[in-house]
């Protein structure tokens, strides 16, 4: 059972018709979906399923299942549609868009601290953080100014694919120590920010992002914390 992840090619697709291919206590598996499944530090989407009779089921979270399946989790007392049923799956767009803005902003933060490995991170609704292997972090004012400039420049955000052998030949593309690019499919998805050479940022990522940095909007450094001798935690918050 494999779910076609429509969000991978179009993060702005808000709904799709789909067929139920399995249903159980762990969730509903559809043949395709617009709901992102938890992974890479990004939370799974919430949303809803509309059945053929017009009734609605709330999806509390989308998570990864086995063999490429995406599980759409329902409330504990919900009655799942039977396999073969046709539904319309839609994503909670306002929440998803905030996650997209934050995820893209964290890529910009990463670009402002070149060469430092990312040892951890999290993306939340309106907030996020990255942990860097650094003896000292840049000051908040410096980071805020850098983020503001990159957002104002409205750099394009695009995706592309490379072979796993290309990634092996360019290990510097991988910034995160805690999350490794998925392997085994023969290719790896990259997110590129900026049209120049070199780009603002280029690294493996399977998450959802906005189309350009200007769409991130107002964002600021929340905290810069010491989490160990070589670990600096930098938090971001959306301001609007």
């Amino acid at each position: 059972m494999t779910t076609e992840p429509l969000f991978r090619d179009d993060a702005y697709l808000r709904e799709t018709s789909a067929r139920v291919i399995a249903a159980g206590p762990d969730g509903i598996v559809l043949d395709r979906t617009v709901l992102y499944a938890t992974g890479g530090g990004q939370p799974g989407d919430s949303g809803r399923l509309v059945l053929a009779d017009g009734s609605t089921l709330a999806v509390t979270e989308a998570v990864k299942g086995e063999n490429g399946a995406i599980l759409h989790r329902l409330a504990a007392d919900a009655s799942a549609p039977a396999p073969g049923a046709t539904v319309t799956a839609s994503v909670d767009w306002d929440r998803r868009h905030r996650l997209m803005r934050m995820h893209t902003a964290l890529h910009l933060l990463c670009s402002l601290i070149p060469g430092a490995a990312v040892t951890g991170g999290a993306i939340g609704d309106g907030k996020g953080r990255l942990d860097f292997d650094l003896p000292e972090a840049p000051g908040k004012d410096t980071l805020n100014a850098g983020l503001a400039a990159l957002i104002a420049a409205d750099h394009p955000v695009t995706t592309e694919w490379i072979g796993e052998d290309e990634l092996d030949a360019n290990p510097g593309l991988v910034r995160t120590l805690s999350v490794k690019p998925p392997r085994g499919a023969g290719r790896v998805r990259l997110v590129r920010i900026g049209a120049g050479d070199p780009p603002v940022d280029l690294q493996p990522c399977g998450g959802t992002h906005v189309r350009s940095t200007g769409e991130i909007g107002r964002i600021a450094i929340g905290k810069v914390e010491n989490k160990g001798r070589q670990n600096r935690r930098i938090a971001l918050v959306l301001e609007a």
Side-chain angles (χ1 to χ4, degrees):
M1 292 185 298
T2 299
T3 304
E4 182 182 0
L6 300 178
F7 53 81
R8 185 174 293 165
D9 293 322
D10 185 0
Y12 288 79
L13 189 62
R14 302 189 189 191
E15 68 176 34
T16 184
S17 61
R19 181 174 56 85
V20 177
I21 55 178
D26 291 333
I28 296 172
V29 181
L30 304 177
D31 64 343
R32 57 182 181 168
T33 189
V34 294
L35 278 74
Y36 178 83
T38 303
Q42 181 173 330
D45 284 328
S46 56
R48 65 177 186 167
L49 304 179
V50 179
L51 309 186
D53 63 4
S55 60
T56 299
L57 295 172
V59 177
T60 59
E61 184 185 22
V63 300
K64 292 179 181 178
E66 297 182 353
N67 302 317
I70 293 177
L71 297 167
H72 299 72
R73 290 181 170 168
L74 307 179
D77 58 348
S79 298
T86 298
V87 301
T88 298
S90 61
V91 65
D92 178 347
W93 175 249
D94 289 343
R95 176 177 179 271
R96 155 73 84 75
H97 192 244
R98 289 191 296 270
L99 292 171
M100 289 164 58
R101 291 165 60 200
M102 177 55 65
H103 198 158
T104 310
L106 289 172
H107 278 254
L108 296 185
L109 175 61
C110 199
S111 76
L112 294 173
I113 309 178
V118 177
T119 58
I123 303 161
D125 187 351
K127 61 183 179 180
R129 65 167 175 85
L130 289 177
D131 294 350
F132 292 92
D133 182 16
L134 274 176
E136 290 188 20
K140 288 178 64 174
D141 289 346
T142 299
L143 291 172
N144 276 323
L147 286 171
L150 291 170
I151 291 170
D154 202 20
H155 294 287
V157 181
T158 58
T159 60
E160 59 197 70
W161 295 85
I162 62 170
E164 291 181 0
D165 55 341
E166 293 178 78
L167 182 64
D168 292 338
N170 295 277
L173 288 173
V174 180
R175 295 287 304 275
T176 55
L177 299 180
S178 58
V179 180
K180 297 297 184 183
R183 303 184 65 98
R187 63 177 191 161
V188 175
R189 181 177 183 256
L190 300 181
V191 170
R192 177 186 294 270
I193 300 179
D197 186 16
V200 173
D201 189 64
L202 179 66
Q203 58 179 298
C205 185
T208 58
H209 301 82
V210 292
R211 292 189 177 112
S212 67
T213 60
E215 197 174 329
I216 294 171
R218 294 172 55 194
I219 197 163
I221 302 295
K223 292 182 182 177
V224 179
E225 300 178 280
N226 294 334
K227 291 295 182 178
R229 186 170 61 87
Q230 283 282 124
N231 196 42
R232 303 294 172 259
R233 176 167 293 176
I234 304 175
L236 290 180
V237 291
L238 290 175
E239 294 190 322

